[in-house]
Amino acid sequence: MFGCQCTHHTGSMKMIRLRTPSMRSLNLEMRCTVRLLDDSEICCNIQKETKGQFLIDHICNHYSLLEKDYFGIRFVDPEKQRHWLDPNKPISKQMKSHPPYTMCFRVKFYPHEPLKIKEELTRYLLYLQIKRDIFHGRLLCSFADAAYLGACIVQAEIGDYDPDEHPDNYICDFKIFPKQSQKLERKIVEVHKSELRGQSPAVAEFNLLLKAHSLETYGVDPHPCKDSTGTTTFLGYTAAGFVVFQGNKRIHLIRWPDICKMRFDGKTFHVVVMQKEKKTVLTYHTSTPAACKHLWKCGVENQAFYKYAKSSQVKTVTSSNIFFKGSRYRYCGKVAKEVVEASSKIQRDPPEVHRSLIPHSRSSYSLNRQLIINMEPLQPLIPSPSEEEEEEEEGILLSQQNDAHSSPVPGNSPTRDIEVMPDLRHNEEDSIKEEPLTISEQVYNPSASLLPTPVDEGVEMLFNSSLRAEAERDNADSFEEFDADEHAFLIAEEEEMKEARKALSVSYNFLMGNMQLNAFLKSFSRLVLVALGLLLVLLPLLLVLLESDIDISFLHDIRQTPEFEQFHNEYYCPLRKWLACKISAALNVANSS
């Protein structure tokens, strides 16, 4: 029998017992902490053979949550690679670190239509996830949409505006966005006072979900990578399909029915697309093989969840090519349509929703460590020696917090009437202690991705000093201070950089071609070796069946089958007789000579 004691804050959960394979495992309890969407925590002891589904069910039972198929548990390994907990595998075999384990309860599949969520509890948990997405910069929107979203959050948490209770700067107490200007706060106050009066917390949260659902990055969990030209790109999955972002612009939306296959090979991820009877293969490169496999697995799960009408239609997917087996995976949960159907059949009194606020102190701390960028695509920053030394001294700890930060450099960027969340940070919610990391081409980390977003007036551009051509274009006005010789020197330097890029591109394509050829030769050699091995095993067995008189039961049964007798009489005997004649004739010729 299995014992699991779980606590939530100062309360205690009842004893839960499950059966395990051996008595020895009773002594191998491991501490596990799950951080919830409101930053509270549940701690429990698990055993070596406890599967992920037990932990997911336990968290859902804590909430009394029935619409649980939208949610999952996420963790970060020591290499800072994020993973979703597989419900069908033992937890201890998925974790690459030692106990105690730390994980996070999060929305895994964002509901395509919030209107079809049956229970207020589910909507509230989705609201908390969207609130986190807004603060951590994953949900991109215009200035007007940002003000409306912020006003919905304020209305849900404090209710109607009351001049006796709320001073003029009451919005300053809410850290809603990564970059929150006074202009945006004034607009939030205006919307809160005029448009949302009288709305209950549940109604305000629902209105936020409706607005967030209409945005392009709703539900996008960005995976950083490089495209075939080496450009930093962010891939993601939504209910509509596979999306690709460069900078803050969506450059591709490929709907699920148009995607024939997703596969990966090492660090290379391929998406095979069929549109209008034309086949296209999109190729991207991740930083590590683990990041590539995670990207592929997320794609397989999202396609299965959103594309199919029934879970029975979901098939096992493989990443293999012709000669190499690769990874195999099958999504085993319900699909979106089944979840909606199950929600419509829920018949119970709605559970009580215990609303709580995410602590402002944490938001305030993070606010001062943001990377501020404008509408130009993000350029990775080279970390300073002092930052690298600080990271080495303090460590990148526990749940691998990734907070990209830098100091803004003055530039001549145009004024924009846009205000949104400037950075896309993956693991803010997964941390126990916050530690800054700097995005770098030299140390490219998949879990420290940033997606540039528009910002309000007064915020200037951060330049990448390693890319001179980009800096020269953004600071074109500063060239008036240079004389003609210096200007000519810079132009010549830019031409040299272009030639260098061209040479690097040619070298890269050549190397990739060789890598693909080598992979093909290795796969072909494996096929030949497997074929020879099968021949060495099957040929002796066939000779034993055909020529020996060994009377073993299974050999006797094989010899009695009609197929074997037909093969023996119609093919083997004539072939043996022909070979015997040929050998006899050859021997006669040799003897006569």
Side-chain angles (χ1 to χ4, degrees), residues 329-344:
Y329 181 73
R330 183 179 186 273
Y331 172 70
C332 298
K334 294 180 181 178
V335 299
K337 290 185 178 180
E338 291 175 334
V339 175
V340 172
E341 291 174 0
S343 297
S344 64

Side-chain angles (χ1 to χ4, degrees), residues 401-436:
Q401 167 68 30
N402 293 316
D403 181 14
H405 82 99
S406 180
S407 301
V409 178
N412 298 324
S413 60
T415 299
R416 304 180 187 277
D417 189 23
I418 300 289
E419 173 83 35
V420 270
M421 297 62 72
D423 87 4
L424 248 176
R425 293 175 299 158
H426 277 234
N427 295 322
E428 180 75 19
E429 65 270 28
D430 296 323
S431 66
I432 302 301
K433 177 181 177 182
E434 299 191 353
E435 289 293 332

Side-chain angles (χ1 to χ4, degrees), residues 19-191:
R19 182 176 299 171
T20 54
S22 66
M23 293 298 294
R24 182 183 177 186
S25 62
L26 288 173
N27 299 322
L28 299 177
E29 291 190 348
M30 295 163 284
R31 191 71 169 174
C32 181
T33 300
V34 181
R35 174 172 289 172
L36 306 180
L37 285 161
D38 60 356
D39 280 344
S40 62
E41 295 178 351
I42 287 183
C43 299
C44 64
N45 292 328
I46 62 173
Q47 293 183 0
K48 184 177 179 180
E49 298 301 324
T50 303
K51 293 186 177 181
Q53 188 63 53
F54 162 76
L55 197 56
I56 295 172
D57 289 342
H58 182 64
I59 301 300
C60 294
N61 291 338
H62 164 76
Y63 277 120
S64 188
L65 177 66
L66 293 183
E67 296 172 293
K68 59 185 179 181
D69 298 277
Y70 297 116
F71 301 88
I73 293 179
R74 192 168 61 196
F75 64 94
V76 184
D77 66 22
E79 285 73 37
K80 306 188 196 74
Q81 176 58 52
R82 299 195 312 166
H83 304 272
W84 287 103
L85 191 67
D86 191 325
N88 300 312
K89 295 181 180 179
I91 297 173
S92 61
K93 292 184 179 180
Q94 300 181 57
M95 310 298 290
K96 298 181 181 179
S97 59
H98 298 290
Y101 302 136
T102 302
M103 310 179 201
C104 294
F105 181 75
R106 298 290 182 259
V107 174
K108 185 176 183 180
F109 302 111
Y110 286 68
H112 182 43
E113 298 178 88
L115 282 170
K116 294 185 179 180
I117 299 176
K118 181 69 175 291
E119 297 196 316
E120 180 185 341
L121 172 62
T122 313
R123 289 193 292 270
Y124 173 65
L125 295 177
L126 179 59
Y127 158 80
L128 290 180
Q129 180 67 66
I130 297 297
K131 185 178 176 182
R132 301 184 75 91
D133 293 345
I134 291 173
F135 177 74
H136 297 310
R138 287 186 289 268
L139 194 64
L140 313 185
C141 60
S142 66
F143 178 83
D145 289 339
Y148 182 81
L149 292 172
C152 287
I153 292 174
V154 174
Q155 179 69 25
E157 297 191 359
I158 67 172
D160 292 341
Y161 170 76
D162 186 345
D164 296 331
E165 296 183 7
H166 304 136
D168 293 339
N169 61 343
Y170 71 99
I171 295 296
C172 297
D173 295 334
F174 293 87
K175 305 304 179 184
I176 302 171
F177 300 98
K179 169 57 183 163
Q180 189 165 307
S181 68
Q182 292 183 356
K183 179 180 178 181
L184 178 59
E185 290 179 350
R186 290 194 297 269
K187 185 63 176 177
I188 292 174
V189 170
E190 178 184 333
V191 176

Side-chain angles (χ1 to χ4, degrees), residues 249-266:
K249 299 178 181 178
R250 190 179 72 185
I251 62 173
H252 290 303
L253 169 57
I254 304 171
R255 302 194 177 277
W256 290 123
D258 297 331
I259 297 178
C260 301
K261 185 178 180 65
M262 289 178 284
R263 58 185 175 86
F264 74 96
D265 182 11

